[in-house]
């Protein structure tokens, strides 16, 4: 105790017994520097280190400048934290906005794709459906089917003119045979009728591209003609059986040739019929593919659409077989026999149209 230095004692006495002197010194520091932190060096570190009582006694006094220092730094730290928080919030907001815009753009593209698919499906449905008008014959002796498809409407008009022209040719050919004109003049009439049938096959090919279901249904024909329909037209082998007895007399070679032609027609018809059965099953499988009750079937319809292109090919092949049969018959027969064959074929279809008209106009029994 006695060995304590005078400097230590004086320092100790200042920290314990003269707190007002320290406060006045801090005040002078505040005034001169204008900064709360400037008061810190005025604290006597030896007092804090060697005298716990001095620390306890001066704790209340020393606490005030520390508190002021913390309060002074607090606004700056708080502002910095808020600025950092605002920057982070702004960054996240920009990211959310960017993601939202991208989501909207993606949704817009998907909506446009769906609208395009629906429009294509709607257009195809218009082509596949028909507003069919069955029943009796009009002035052209036909039961036409109305359709929204311009290609089919054109075909109906052309086919009406074709039937009128065929009726005129039949009358001309009948008169020529009754008048016993020469083979040269008769050949001109026969070639004209053959070309007329070729024109019908051309019109049907164009109509099949516009709406193959319309051609396949046979709604452009009368009701009795539709009863004998096969892939959009008549079955060549059946017509050979019907026409054979009407073009007698025939030589044995002609009978054999016509028989062989009938066999070839039957084989070709069977092959086309089997192909149609397979196509029908494949088409049904394509339509029924996927899960039901989901409300979406655009992919199935797209696949089925590709199958329908084969259906157009079947119609064209069947018409090609019909045309080839007529040409082979004209080669087998003499010119006069070919004229009688074409006359019988034309009158056969006239009788079917007449049958349709009679059936449509038959007396109805009261209900």
């Amino acid at each position: 105790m006695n060995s304590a230095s005078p400097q230590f004692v004086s320092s100790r006495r200042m920290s314990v017994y003269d707190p007002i002197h320290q406060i006045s010194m801090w005040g002078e520091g505040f005034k001169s520097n204008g900064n709360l932190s400037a008061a810190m060096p005025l604290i006597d570190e030896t007092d804090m280190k060697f005298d716990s009582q001095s620390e306890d006694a001066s704790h209340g006094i020393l606490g005030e400048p520390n508190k002021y220092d913390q309060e002074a730094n607090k606004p700056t730290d708080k502002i910095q934290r808020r600025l950092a928080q605002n920057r982070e919030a702004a960054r996240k907001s920009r990211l959310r906005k960017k993601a939202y815009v991208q989501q909207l753009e993606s949704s817009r593209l998907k909506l446009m794709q769906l609208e395009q698919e629906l429009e294509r499906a709607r257009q195809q449905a218009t082509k596949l459906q028909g507003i069919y008008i069955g029943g009796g014959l009009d002035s052209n002796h036909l039961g036409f089917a109305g359709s929204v498809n311009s290609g089919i409407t054109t075909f109906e008009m052309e086919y009406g003119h074709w039937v009128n022209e065929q009726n005129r040719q039949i009358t001309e050919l009948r008169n020529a045979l009754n008048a016993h004109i020469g083979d040269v003049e008769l050949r001109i009439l026969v070639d004209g009728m053959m070309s007329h049938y070729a024109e019908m096959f051309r019109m049907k090919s164009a109509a099949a591209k516009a709406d193959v279901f319309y051609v396949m249904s046979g709604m452009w024909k009368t009701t009795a003609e539709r009863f004998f329909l096969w892939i959009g037209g008549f079955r060549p082998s059946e017509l050979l059986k019907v026409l054979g007895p009407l073009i007698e007399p025939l030589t044995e070679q002609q009978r054999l040739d016509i028989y062989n032609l009938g066999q070839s027609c039957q084989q070709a018809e069977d092959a086309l019929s089997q192909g149609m059965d397979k196509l029908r099953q494949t088409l049904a499988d394509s339509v029924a593919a996927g899960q039901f009750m989901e409300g979406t079937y655009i992919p199935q319809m797209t696949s089925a659409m590709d199958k329908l292109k084969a259906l157009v090919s079947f119609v064209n092949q069947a018409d090609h077989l019909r045309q080839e049969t007529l040409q082979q018959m004209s080669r087998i027969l003499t010119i006069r026999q070919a004229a009688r064959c074409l006359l019988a074929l034309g009158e056969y279809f006239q009788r079917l149209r007449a049958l349709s008209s009679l059936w449509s106009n038959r007396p109805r029994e009261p209900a």
Side-chain angles (χ1 to χ4, degrees), residues 218-255:
M219 294 305 295
W220 46 283
K221 287 181 170 293
T222 58
T223 53
E225 287 176 293
R226 291 199 297 270
F227 181 75
F228 298 99
L229 196 67
W230 174 78
I231 311 185
F234 59 85
R235 190 183 288 268
S237 60
E238 290 183 356
L239 280 182
L240 290 177
K241 296 176 182 178
V242 173
L243 297 178
L246 301 178
I247 54 180
E248 290 284 349
L250 297 170
T251 66
E252 290 299 322
Q253 185 61 45
Q254 286 177 325
R255 290 191 184 93

Side-chain angles (χ1 to χ4, degrees), residues 93-110:
S93 178
R94 287 193 299 270
L95 291 176
R96 287 195 298 269
K97 182 178 180 181
K98 183 178 180 181
Y100 180 68
V101 171
Q102 291 176 347
Q103 183 180 4
L104 286 179
E105 182 65 17
S106 177
S107 300
R108 186 182 68 85
L109 293 176
K110 290 180 180 179

Side-chain angles (χ1 to χ4, degrees), residues 245-299:
L246 301 178
I247 54 180
E248 290 284 349
L250 297 170
T251 66
E252 290 299 322
Q253 185 61 45
Q254 286 177 325
R255 290 191 184 93
L256 180 60
D257 292 339
I258 292 175
Y259 173 81
N260 291 334
L261 179 61
Q263 292 297 108
S264 299
C265 288
Q266 186 66 58
Q267 293 175 3
E269 291 167 8
D270 291 343
L272 286 175
S273 296
Q274 291 175 7
M276 279 292 299
D277 291 340
K278 292 181 180 179
L279 176 61
R280 188 178 294 107
Q281 184 61 47
T282 302
L283 186 61
D285 293 341
S286 297
V287 173
Q291 297 294 326
F292 283 89
M293 296 180 292
E294 291 183 348
T296 59
Y297 45 80
I298 297 299

